[in-house]
Amino acid sequence: MTSTASPTPTPTSWTVAPEPFDSPDAVALWRAYYTEVSDRYYLLHEGRRTGLDELDREIAAHSGAELSPPGGQLLIGRYAGEPAGTAGVRLLDASTAELTRVFVREGLRGRGGAPLLVRAAEDAARALGADRMVLDTRGDLVEARALYARLGYAETEPYNDDPYADHWFEKPLSPQLT
């Protein structure tokens, strides 16, 4: 009996490209991201999932409009052509960009998408004129903290007062080689 299993997709199965924050794929990925991180927080701290009304309200309040040109960019990662993850970048000032909304759908994690998304966001930040990237994350998002450390981000002092942030990171962005 011969196997008819399809070959294991490689990192080349990923593509990353800018997309409007309000495209159907971006909206669906934002909802998946927000649902996961919100549920994770509330399960840890309150023993409950996020209520549907609460989820809808918060998603609507944080549309992602700041991830639009000229001061920002939303990137969508596609795995084998399907929307699979996001990374956003926005300028905080002329030389500092913030990395946000780094997310890969659960079933596609561990396949190289997150580093590709972060590197694409770093390239987008450079294109916006930034020479430094900052980000914040929560203590319970240990996978995210490990990813950022692996990619050269160092913990730093807080740069914002986000009540859900426990850790702040930064990374100098060296000029892109041409």
Side-chain angles (χ1 to χ4, degrees), residues 49-69:
R49 293 194 179 280
T50 312
L52 187 55
D53 289 344
E54 178 181 29
L55 185 67
D56 289 340
R57 182 180 62 248
E58 290 303 313
I59 287 171
H62 303 286
S63 70
E66 72 279 6
L67 303 177
S68 296

Side-chain angles (χ1 to χ4, degrees), residues 121-137:
E122 291 170 356
D123 290 344
R126 283 184 201 92
L128 293 169
D131 60 17
R132 178 175 82 115
M133 185 83 88
V134 297
L135 65 94
D136 66 46
T137 191

Side-chain angles (χ1 to χ4, degrees), residues 104-134:
V104 173
R105 288 189 184 273
E106 186 174 3
L108 297 172
R109 293 179 188 154
R111 298 181 188 208
L116 288 174
L117 284 159
V118 171
R119 288 184 185 111
E122 291 170 356
D123 290 344
R126 283 184 201 92
L128 293 169
D131 60 17
R132 178 175 82 115
M133 185 83 88
V134 297

